[in-house]
Amino acid sequence: MHPLLLLSLLAAPALADERRHLPIPPAKEWKMECGACHIAYPAYMLPPESWRKIMRNLDKHFDSDASLNPREVKEITDYLVKHAANPKYYDSAPLRITETPRFRHEHDEIERAVIQRPAIKSLANCQACHPRAEQESFEEHELRIPR
Amino acid sequence: MSSFPLATLVLLTLSAPAVAQTGITAALLDGYRVEARRLDPGFQAFSAQRGKDFFHARHGDLSCASCHTPDPKAQGKHHKTGKRIEPLAPAANQERLGDPAKVEKWFKRNCNDVLQRACTAREKGDFITWLADLR
């Protein structure tokens, strides 16, 4: 076989393998894993103990199996805890961002009928009204509440 | 280079990722086949038709198609959160079936969510046989 041909055949699987084994930066891994089923909710929206509780129970994550391998659990937990909200503003460790005082304060004027609109459905559906939620931007002037 | 036409080499180089991808799928299926035989010595071969039926079968309120739509080449949508899901079939999304650990991760999660149990090796093999060959 021609040596160049041999090289081209050998190189492709080797490259694919190498790519998989490169360590993924924690912020990227968080976004990829947490963002697979919903937007990757920003770490600063919950205190550290909330994230620890959530990450300990991923196999029963709000009625879904969201389990990760132990390495992923550790890296994503470390990332979330590092960037979490300051626990001094919390007297409990809520599992839902919608139950935090900050979230309630910001959303208390929204009527139930608005939340129930088909394009919104749930307060957990951030991107319905915050078009740049996936970029972690929740500025008031960006708000677009669907009819 | 003189003994080997350049065009052929370029063609082979371009097709190498596709070869690697197919190799990954074949290796996945080999693993499921060994397990399926271990559980059922009478096991013959995976079936694309059974895989297709499995994809559409409802278990209570849910089927695979609840999130992935009835067409695995189409963009899906998470049934609860509404989050966009990229197409499931490699024919429409070349990232699919490229990483065995990822395939197993999602089988574990989604089988538990939809069937309330782990999928068997035969179910996984049937399904991948169907999905990988969709055009």
Side-chain angles (χ1 to χ4, degrees), chain B residues 31-36 39 46 119-126:
Chain B
Y32 293 142
R33 194 174 295 109
V34 168
E35 181 65 5
L39 295 169
F46 292 128
C119 291
T120 65
R122 199 190 82 170
E123 286 167 333
K124 293 179 194 176
D126 287 343

Side-chain angles (χ1 to χ4, degrees), chain B residues 104-123:
Chain B
E104 272 296 295
K105 170 192 279 183
W106 285 100
F107 267 136
K108 177 189 183 298
R109 293 170 162 184
N110 294 350
C111 293
N112 273 338
D113 285 350
V114 176
L115 290 86
Q116 315 290 322
R117 62 166 173 83
C119 291
T120 65
R122 199 190 82 170
E123 286 167 333

Side-chain angles (χ1 to χ4, degrees), chain A:
Chain A
M1 190 184 278
H2 193 283
L4 270 178
L5 169 63
L6 191 65
L7 194 71
S8 74
L9 287 177
L10 288 173
L15 280 176
D17 252 20
E18 209 161 275
R19 197 182 49 211
R20 263 203 303 285
H21 290 120
L22 281 174
I24 305 166
K28 200 174 169 198
E29 188 152 55
W30 157 75
K31 188 132 210 157
M32 192 171 74
E33 295 299 343
C34 303
C37 298
H38 49 66
I39 73 150
Y41 299 118
Y44 67 80
M45 291 190 174
L46 286 175
E49 193 48 30
S50 296
W51 290 122
R52 289 195 193 95
K53 282 203 277 190
I54 288 167
M55 294 301 289
R56 269 199 299 270
N57 294 293
L58 283 179
D59 58 331
K60 293 182 188 68
H61 183 71
F62 303 100
D63 300 325
S64 276
D65 182 340
S67 40
L68 294 168
N69 72 39
R71 183 196 61 79
E72 293 163 335
V73 170
K74 183 178 181 317
E75 279 174 22
I76 294 173
T77 306
D78 288 351
Y79 168 81
L80 288 166
V81 166
K82 187 175 165 193
H83 299 277
N86 189 333
K88 78 175 179 189
Y89 299 115
Y90 290 80
D91 49 18
S92 68
L95 295 179
R96 294 174 188 272
I97 293 165
T98 51
E99 288 169 5
T100 60
R102 167 93 191 266
F103 185 96
R104 285 191 166 156
H105 175 75
E106 297 286 353
H107 297 83
D108 62 356
E109 78 278 26
I110 303 168
E111 285 167 37
R112 185 179 286 266
V114 173
I115 297 160
Q116 285 170 340
R117 287 175 188 165
I120 303 177
K121 282 196 348 192
S122 157
L123 279 174
N125 191 8
C126 308
Q127 69 275 25
C129 305
H130 300 276
R132 300 212 318 123
E134 284 196 71
Q135 288 80 48
E136 291 161 68
S137 180
F138 299 88
E139 299 289 328
E140 192 121 15
H141 68 84
E142 293 171 341
L143 265 181
R144 296 281 177 277
I145 297 175
R147 293 273 127 216

Side-chain angles (χ1 to χ4, degrees), chain B residues 42-96:
Chain B
F43 172 83
Q44 294 286 325
F46 292 128
S47 148
Q49 182 61 50
R50 278 200 311 256
K52 182 181 180 182
D53 295 343
F54 178 76
F55 180 79
H56 292 286
R58 295 193 76 84
H59 308 266
D61 290 341
L62 292 177
S63 72
C64 307
S66 303
C67 292
H68 293 292
T69 83
D71 177 6
K73 289 185 301 220
Q75 186 176 290
K77 194 175 169 187
H78 193 285
H79 74 111
K80 254 171 85 176
T81 67
K83 171 95 186 176
R84 183 185 71 241
I85 301 172
E86 298 307 326
L88 192 55
N93 177 1
Q94 58 181 13
E95 299 263 307
R96 294 296 190 186

Side-chain angles (χ1 to χ4, degrees), chain B residues 2-57:
Chain B
S2 59
S3 64
F4 202 80
L6 181 63
T8 313
L9 180 61
V10 168
L11 197 70
L12 281 164
T13 311
L14 286 174
S15 65
V19 172
Q21 185 92 341
T22 315
I24 292 166
T25 305
L28 257 174
L29 287 174
D30 285 346
Y32 293 142
R33 194 174 295 109
V34 168
E35 181 65 5
R37 286 223 174 94
R38 194 181 65 80
L39 295 169
D40 171 17
F43 172 83
Q44 294 286 325
F46 292 128
S47 148
Q49 182 61 50
R50 278 200 311 256
K52 182 181 180 182
D53 295 343
F54 178 76
F55 180 79
H56 292 286

